[in-house]
């Protein structure tokens, strides 16, 4: 069964940094686009960033531009999200998701999701 | 930027009912739309991509339609396990991949 496992969440002060990781298993990670999505407590889903299978296409939500960096290491089957200058509004559960189609520079939606990792930004 | 809206925000229906959720984009996204179901405390579950293509293993009572700026998700014959919040997401590369605010479906 295809699986994604996020890690790296935790408690951080405003202005601090965290790096989230998402390790993939069972599927051919290097052939799929990947996303980060977050969900603040009690609220809806918010898309954060996406990266194509070959890293040639990278997209960010306005809330992430200039502060967050998405990257991937296909040799380690791992997706990353480097988060800097964190704010209390960044408090959320962060999910990674695998895009639906194989080796596409377009994005179709996420058919495999991790269970999420919680990030809390507070002083 | 692009805005996604959904209606209704909440609906209550009985088992066996036909349920329709509408998603609107503030600009044309052609057919670049996905739908998800999320139950409380769980990760989202992928239902539909390209506005109308059912993902593998998704029950056939779910269907999607639309293009441009208006889209619908229909559940024909609501089942008890269909409770939760439904989200649309635009995936047109010309815009951020914004989610709609969600539609909460309750079973009467």
């Amino acid at each position: 069964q295809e699986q994604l496992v996020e890690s790296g969440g935790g408690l951080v002060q405003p202005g601090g940094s965290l790096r989230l990781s998402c390790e993939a298993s069972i599927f051919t990670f290097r052939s799929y686009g990947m996303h980060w999505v977050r969900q603040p407590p009690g609220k809806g889903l918010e898309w954060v960033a996406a990266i194509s299978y070959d890293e040639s296409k990278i997209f960010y939500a306005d809330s992430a531009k200039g502060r967050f960096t998405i990257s991937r290491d296909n040799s380690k089957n791992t997706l990353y999200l480097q988060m800097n200058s964190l704010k209390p509004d960044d408090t959320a559960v962060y999910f990674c998701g695998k895009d639906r189609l194989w080796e596409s520079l377009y994005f179709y939606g996420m058919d495999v999701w991790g269970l999420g990792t919680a990030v809390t930004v507070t002083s | 930027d692009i805005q996604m809206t959904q209606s209704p925000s909440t609906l209550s229906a009985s088992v066996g009912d036909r349920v329709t959720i509408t998603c609107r984009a503030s600009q044309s996204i052609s057919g670049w739309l996905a739908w998800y179901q999320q139950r409380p405390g769980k990760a989202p579950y992928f239902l539909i991509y390209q506005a109308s293509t059912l993902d593998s293993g998704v029950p056939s009572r779910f269907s999607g339609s639309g293009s441009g700026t208006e889209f619908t998700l229909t559940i024909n014959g609501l089942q008890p396990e269909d409770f939760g919040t439904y989200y649309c997401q635009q995936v047109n590369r010309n815009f951020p991949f914004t989610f709609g605010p969600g539609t909460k479906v309750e079973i009467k």
Side-chain angles (χ1 to χ4, degrees):
Chain A
Q1 185 176 352
E2 297 177 319
Q3 190 173 5
L4 295 169
V5 179
E6 301 94 338
S7 61
L11 187 66
V12 62
Q13 292 188 335
S17 298
L18 277 178
R19 187 175 85 153
L20 306 184
S21 300
C22 167
E23 187 170 354
S25 59
I26 307 299
F27 66 92
T28 311
F29 176 79
R30 66 179 180 272
S31 296
Y32 291 92
M34 297 294 296
H35 301 251
W36 286 101
V37 173
R38 68 185 183 183
Q39 187 165 34
K43 296 190 177 180
L45 300 171
E46 180 185 359
W47 173 79
V48 175
I51 185 168
S52 62
Y53 74 101
D54 63 353
E55 303 180 72
S56 67
K57 304 290 182 188
I58 292 177
F59 302 95
Y60 294 100
D62 286 347
S63 59
K65 280 179 189 172
R67 298 189 303 129
F68 295 2
T69 302
I70 188 172
S71 62
R72 62 191 299 159
D73 186 337
N74 287 342
S75 68
K76 295 182 179 178
N77 284 358
T78 302
L79 176 74
Y80 301 101
L81 185 69
Q82 177 66 44
M83 303 188 296
N84 299 328
S85 304
L86 283 161
K87 308 173 184 177
D89 282 352
D90 296 319
T91 294
V93 173
Y94 284 72
F95 297 97
C96 61
K98 163 190 164 285
D99 207 80
R100 178 61 177 78
L101 261 67
W102 164 281
E103 290 188 351
S104 174
L105 295 181
Y106 291 87
F107 295 85
Y108 295 81
M110 291 155 272
D111 66 338
V112 179
W113 293 66
L115 297 180
T117 186
V119 172
T120 303
V121 184
T122 182
S123 53
Chain B
D1 236 354
I2 196 165
Q3 307 299 324
M4 304 298 293
T5 59
Q6 287 182 233
S7 60
S9 55
T10 306
L11 71 87
S12 181
S14 300
V15 172
D17 283 354
R18 183 184 191 202
V19 167
T20 299
I21 298 169
T22 299
C23 174
R24 291 185 175 89
S26 59
Q27 300 182 61
S28 176
I29 56 171
S30 187
W32 295 97
L33 191 93
W35 288 99
Y36 305 84
Q37 175 200 35
Q38 187 181 32
R39 297 191 184 110
K42 301 292 186 182
Y45 171 59
F46 190 52
L47 296 171
I48 286 169
Y49 61 101
Q50 288 294 84
S52 61
T53 303
L54 219 60
D55 194 33
S56 306
V58 175
S60 58
R61 63 181 180 273
F62 291 93
S63 64
S65 66
S67 69
T69 60
E70 187 157 332
F71 303 85
T72 59
L73 173 71
T74 300
I75 309 172
N76 274 304
L78 190 70
Q79 296 300 302
E81 61 268 28
D82 296 337
F83 75 94
T85 301
Y86 290 79
Y87 295 93
C88 61
Q89 182 195 19
Q90 87 82 20
V91 287
N92 185 311
R93 274 181 359 184
N94 293 323
F95 309 105
F97 297 159
T98 307
F99 284 94
T103 294
K104 187 175 182 180
V105 174
E106 299 171 340
I107 309 294
K108 280 183 186 172

